[in-house]
Amino acid sequence: MWKETREREFGNIRPNLFSSRISKSRVSSIRLSNYKEIVSSHRGSVNSLQVDLTEGRYLLAGASDATVAVYDIERATDYDGGGLIAKHKSLFVINKQHEHGHKYAISSAIWYPIDTGLFVTGSYDHHINVWDTNTTHVVMNFKMPGKVYRTAMSSIARSHMLIAAGTEDVQVRLCDIASGAFAHTLSGHRDGVMSLEWSTSSEYVLVTGGCDGAIRFWDIRRAGSFCVLDQSRSQIGRRPPLLVRPMTNKKSSSTAQSSSAKVRAPQKKLANGNALKPHAVCRISSQVKTAKQRLHPGMLSSHDRATGHYGVVTGLKVTEDGMYLLSAGSDSRLRLWDVESGCNTLVNFETTRLQSSKAIQMAVSQDSSLAFVPCMTTAKAFDIWSGQTKCTFRGHYENVNCCWYDALNQELYTGGNDRQILVWSPSKSISDEVDEWKKEQAATIDQDNWSD
Amino acid sequence: MSVWNYVVTAHKPTNVTHSCVGNFTGPQELNLIIAKCTRIEIHLLTPQGLQAMLDVPIYGRIATLELFRPHGEPQDLLFVATERYKFCVLHWDAEAAEVITRAMGDVSDRIGRPTDNGQIGIIDPDCRLIGLHLYDGLFKVIPFDNKGQLKEAFNIRLEELQVLDIKFLYGCPRPTIVVLYQDNKDARHVKTYEVTLKDKDFVEGPWSQNNLDNGADLLIPVPPPLCGVLIIGEETIVYCSASAFKAIPIRPSITRAYGRVDADGSRYLLGDHNGLLHLLVITHEREKVTGLKIELLGETSVASSISYLDNAVVFVGSSYGDSQLIKLNLHPDAKGSYVEVLERYVNLGPIVDFCVVDLERQGQGQVVTCSGAYKDGSLRIVRNGIGINEQASVELQGIKGMWSLRSASDDPHDTFLVVSFISETRILAMNLEDELEETEIEGFYSNVQTLFCHDAIYDQLVQVTSTSVRLVSSTSRELRHEWFAPAGYSVNVATASATQVLLATGGGHLVYLEIGDGVLTEVKNAQLEYDISCLDINPIGDNPNYSQLAAVGMWTDISVRIFSLPDLNLITKEHLGGEIIPRSVLLCSFEGISYLLCALGDGHLLNFVLNTSNGELTDRKKVSLGTQPIALRTFSSKNATHVFAASDRPTVIYSSNKKLLYSNVNLKEVSYMCPFNSAAFPDSLAIAKEGELTIGTIDDIQKLHIRSIPLGEHARRICHQEQTRTFAICSLKYNQSSVEDSEMHFIRLLDDQTFEFISTYPLDQFECGCSILSCSFSDDSNVYYCVGTAYVMPEENEPTKGRILVFAVEDGKLQLIAEKETKGAVYSLNAFNGKLLAAINQKIQLYKWMLRDDGSRELQSECGHHGHILALYVQTRGDFIVVGDLMKSISLLIYKHEEGAIEERARDYNANWMSAVEILDDDIYLGAENNFNLFTVRKNSEGATDEERGRLEVVGEYHLGEFVNRFRHGSLVMRLPDSDVGQIPTVIFGTVNGVIGVIASLPHEQYAFLEMLQTNLRKIIKGVGGLSHEQWRSFYNEKKTVDAKNFLDGDLIESFLDLSRNRMEEISKAMNVPVDELMKRVEELTRLH
C-alpha cells in the first residue's frame, strides 16, 4: 500500500489500478480477524449471510433455529482487548417467538437491494416473509408449495421488484413485492431448485440450479429457459483458425477466404443448433433476438436434458462483471462457466468434498479473481482462473454453509453449522499491542492479587 | 466556509497525456493536437513555429485521442474517447473556425470489469472500424460504413484477460488486431485476430508469438511496405510479422512513448522513463526486414507522448516535467547529444504537495508546489498577477507626474525622465556611467509643476505648464517657441502627441495646437459648457504621430466626449451616469480593436469599443479595479501594447483572444507610471509609489506567473517556516547509474528567497520522508520542523518502522533535536493543541513534547486511536481531528482533554478511497477521492439518536475530473477588506495534472443565483463533441452516479464573459437579470483566482 500510495500521488499508477491492487493484496492476506468479532445470536446453523448492498454496513443472517438477525459490521457495540477488538452484537433478532416468525429453519435471508428498509426470508416452513427492518413486522407473506431453499432479488433491477424463489417444487416462482402475488412461474427443472442467482448484467435474466443437475438461464419476460448449461461443452477451439495466411499474395488470400468461410459455416450451425448464442445475457441485439425467438420453446430435447453437474446443483454465483458463473454440485465439483457462450471453461478446481445435502452460498471477490467456497468444515479461496486453492479458512467446528465477501472492507463472513459467524479480514499489525495490553492486564491482575 | 461551494480552475492542466500530428484544420495544414487530460489544444505548424489555434475544454478525461482519415475525406478527423465511456468524432469547420461534432455516442456496457491497464482506443489504418478495449474480456468494435459513417457498435469476446496493448496491423485484407497480453503465469505473448464484421467475431489471425520479454508492454504497428509490429520490452525490442522475427537487446529501460519519424515506418523515436530519447531503425532490403538498430539521441523531459512534426522537429509531451519542442540535429553537440531544445512548455504536474505562503508579505498568497517527478522534479512558485523586478529606486516625495523623453526623435531609447512635483519639475537623465542623475533642460520651466511632456517631431520636446506650452529643442535644449494661455485662465489639463497638443483651461476652453518645426500654432479653440477633467489624444490610427480623435472627460455632466481633430467637432457624447467624475481617459487599440478607457475617481474603469471612423462607442463594460482614482498610461512590453492603471490596486490591462483582461500588479499603491526604455534599463517602467521612484522591468503579461526551481530530484513534501524564512522539503533522488534502481532520500532546507539548498539531512538507507510540518509546542517558544518517515524494506510489503524527527534551524542548518521511533510509516503530521499528532499506518497517535531532566527534549506518546485501514490524510481544528482513510472515507475524531483520549465521534459510511481532506469549518469537511470526485460531509451534532450523530452526512458531491493530492486554506489573490470577494473563504487544491484550483464557499443567496446562471449556461454553451456538462460533473464511482450537488463549476460560469453579446442577452432574458448585472457578478468571481 505504501508503494502504491506513493506512485498514485504522482500519477504513475491509475487510481482504479491503485484500488484494485490494494484490494487484491488485502484479500489475499485475509485470515481470522484479530480485531473484529461477530457475537452470534443464533442457536442453530447459520444458513445465509448477506451485507446490504446500499451502505455495505448491515449483515443479515438467517439460521436453522428460525432466527434472523442483523449486525452492524461498521460500528462495534463494544470493545475488548483494550479497545482493539471490536465486538458486534446483533441489532435485533427475530426468532420463533415473534408473532410472524418462521416455524422452521430459515434457509435464505436477503436484503431488499434498493434500501435497508426491507428484507426477505425464506424458510423450510414453506413461507417467504418480507420484513420491515425498522418495525420488524412482516409486511408481506408468500406461501410456497414446499420448503424454500433459496431466494434472490436482482441488485440491478429498475423495472421490477421480484423475489425469485427456489423450492422443493420443480417450478421457480417469482414473487412480486409490488403486487404481493406470484408474477410468474418458470417451468423446466425436473426436480427442486436449490440455488438461484440473478444476472449482474441484465435485470431480466435469472439463473437457477436444480436438484436435477441442470443450470438454466431464464429471461423472465419469456416462457421457458433460453439456455441450459452443458458440462460437456467447453469452448476449446471456439475460433476457427485461419488456414492460409492471407498476406502473402492475392491468390492465396482468395483461397484463404473460401477456406475460412468453410470453417465458419459449421460454427454458425453450432451456434444456432445448440441454442447457446448467449448475447441475450449481456445485451439484446436485434440479431440475437430473432435467433432466440426461434430457439426458445422448441429447444431440442436432447439439449434440454443437459446437466451442469452430476447430482444436485447446490450453489451458484455470478461474478460481478457478469461474465462468468461459478457453480457447485453435490458431485463435489466446482465449475466455471463463460456466461456469454454458455461453455464450461474447464478450470480444474482443487476441491476435495463439498456439502451435498444443503444449498451452499459461495462468494467471489470483486475483481473476480478469488472464489470463496464452503468446503465441509472449512471455507476455501480458489484462484478463479487456475482453480488452485489460495487459502483455506479453518475456524468453524462444523460444516460451513455460507460465505459473504464484503468488497468494501475486503472481509469474508462465513456462517456454519456450529452456529458461529466468523470474520476473516486482512491482518492488522496490532498483535503486539494486544500482547502489550494482555501483559498490562496480567500485571494489574498480579498487582491485585498481590495487594489482596 | 459553507456547504455551497464554487470550484474554479486557476491554472489549467498542463500534463500532456496524448498528442498527435495530422492535417486537421485543412488538407495542406499540418497540426499538432495535444490533449491535456481535460483539454484539447490545436496548434498549427508554421515556418515561425507552433501557432496555437484553439484550446477547448472537454467534458471528460480524455482516454484516447486519434486522428484518422476516412476514404474520400480531404482532411483528418479527430476521434476522442473519454474515461467515462463517451466518444466523439470531431471535424474542423474552416469557415467558422470551430470544431464540429460528426458523431458521438456512449460505449459503456453493463457487462465486464473496467480494464486495469487503461482504456485502449485504436482505428484501423484502412478506416474500416474503430476498436476499443474498455472492459476486461471484451473488444468493442464500431464499424464504418461505405460513406465513412459510424454504425452500431458490438462486442467481441477476448479471452485474454490481462491485455497490455492492442494495435491494428497495417496492410491486412481484413482488419486485424495484434494483442499483447499476460497469462496466469505472468508470461507475455502476442496474438493476432482478424475481425469479421459480418459475424461480429474474431477469426484466428495470421501469426502469434509466445514468451516475450517480461516487461513488454508496448506495440508499434509498422506501416507498409514492411508491415508487422514492433514489441517494445524492457530488455529487448522485437520486430514480428508473419514472415520475420528480429530481436535486439537494449539497455534496461521502460519505454513510455514512441513517435514515428517516416511515413514508411522505418524509424521511430522512443522515450524512456529516464527521459532518454532513442532512435530505433528498422533496416530492410527490398521490403524485407533485415534487422533493428537503436541509437541514443539525447535527453528530454520524461516523455508521455512523442509527435514528430517535420524537418527534424519533434514535440515531446510530458507528464512529469515541462513539455518540449526539440530539434534533432544531424551532428552531436559537445555533450554528444543530438537533441536541441527549441521551446519549453511549463507543466506544473504532478503537484504532489504545495504550500501557500506570502513571501513578500504583501497580503497576497503564493503557491509553492512540489512539481514533476523523477529527474524532472522541481519547485514552482505560482503567483497571481504581474511582478515588477526592481532595478533601481530613489526616495522622492510628492511626485505629481512623470514622463520620459528622448534626446532625438529617432533615438530608440529614452534619455530623460521628467518628474513633476507640486511646485517644481526635475529632470533625471542617464549619464555615461548608466546612472540616473539630475540634469537640466534649459528650455523647460523647472520651478513650476509640469502638466504634460512629450517628444515632438523635428527633435523637439514639449512641456505644458499651467501658464504656457513650451517647445524646446532636444539637441540644444533651448526654448524654440512658447504659447501662452489667455490671460486670466490657467491650463488645467493637457495632453500631446508628437505633432499635437490639446489642453484645457479653466472655463471650459479646449485649445488645440499643432507642432511645427520651431513653431506652435493654435489651430482651434472651443468653448465647452463645463470644465474639463481629463483629456487624451493617444494616436490609435495609422499615423503614430498624429491623432484624429480626442477624448475628453467632463465635470458636472459626468460625460466623456469624442472630438475630431483638428476641427474639434463633437462626434460622440456618452454620459457615464453616477456622480463620480472621470479622472483619466485613454484611447488605445489592442489586437486591431480600438477602445476608449475611462477611469473614474472611485477606482472604477469603463471601457468602450470605439469605432474610429465615426467615433461611435459601443459595448460598454464597467469593472472595479480599486478604490482610488486611476491614472491610465500605455506601455509596451515584448512588442505588445498594454495599459497600466495606476491606483491603490495597480492593474495591467491587456487583450487576449480579442478580450480585455485585467491582471493585478504585485505592488501596493502606485500613483504614476511611465514607460522608461533607456539603454541601461531596456523595456523598463518608472513607477511612482508613495515616497519612492522605482525603475523596474515587468514580468510577462499573464495572469498567473510561474517561476521554476529545477531540483533534479523529486520533491514530495514541502513546508514553510515563517520565523526562519526557510522551506523544508522531503525529496528523493533516483540513482540511475547503478544497475539496480536505488533511491536516496533527503530532508533539505531551502532559503525562501533564493531557493538554494542551505542544509541537507540525509535519511537512512531505505528510509523515506512521508510528511513534514513546521510547528511549535506548548511550553517551548522555539519553532521546529517535524518530519515523519518510513523504513521501506525491500522484503516487507508494508513499512513496520518509521521515525519522527524534530529539527530546529540553527545558523541556517538543520539540527536534529529529538527523534522518536514509530511502528509504521508516518503518513501525516499535524500540530495539535501544542502537541504533535501523527498518523502512523492505521493508527492516530498523539505525542507530548517533554522536557527531560537533563534539559533535552523528547516526544512522548500520550494516546492513540485505532480503527482505520490506513490513516493517510489528517487535518485538525481545535479538539477535532478529521481523518481521510485509504478506503473508508472521512471520519471525525475528538480529543478529550480530561480523559486524555481520542475517540471517534462520527463517520461517513460510504466507501470512498481518499486522496485528500480538508476542514472547511467546524461542521463541514471536504474530501477528494480516487475517482476524481469531490464531496463534502457535515457533522450532525443535533441528531436525535446516537446513530444519527455518529454519521457524517454527505452534503455536497461533484466530479472534478482531477486527482487532488492536497488541499490548503489560502488564496492566490490579494485580499482587500472592502471588496465583496475579500470575504469569501477559499481553499486551494493541487492535482496530478498540474491544475491549481480554488474552492470558494459562497453565501446561499449568491450560490442560488449562480446555480441558476449555470443551468442557463448549460443550455447555451454546448460541450465539444456533444458531451453533457451535467453528466460530466455528476459524482461518479463504481457504485453510483448521482448529480452534482452543492458545488458549482466556476469554469463554466466564468465562460459567460466569453460569450457574444447576443448570447449574454439570451441568458439575461432567461434569468430576468440585466446583462451588466450578470457581468458584474461573474467578473467579481474571476477575482477569486
Side-chain angles (χ1 to χ4, degrees), chain B residues 385-442:
Chain B
I386 297 167
I388 302 284
N389 308 309
E390 220 170 85
Q391 310 258 341
S393 74
V394 216
E395 248 181 60
L396 280 175
Q397 298 283 349
I399 296 173
K400 288 284 162 200
M402 282 194 306
W403 300 268
S404 56
L405 297 175
R406 276 172 270 179
S407 56
S409 298
D410 54 355
D411 189 339
H413 293 292
D414 296 323
T415 309
F416 304 107
L417 187 65
V418 179
V419 186
S420 162
F421 299 90
I422 194 92
S423 60
E424 62 170 335
T425 297
R426 289 205 227 162
I427 293 147
L428 304 174
M430 305 302 302
N431 66 13
L432 293 173
E433 278 88 54
D434 280 342
E435 283 171 343
L436 209 55
E437 65 172 14
E438 196 158 348
T439 180
E440 253 178 63
I441 298 176
E442 289 82 3

Side-chain angles (χ1 to χ4, degrees), chain A residues 300-320:
Chain A
L300 290 176
S301 59
S302 68
H303 183 72
D304 197 33
R305 294 195 171 274
T307 55
H309 285 274
Y310 297 112
V312 181
V313 180
T314 51
L316 288 174
K317 183 75 196 171
V318 184
T319 59
E320 198 150 303

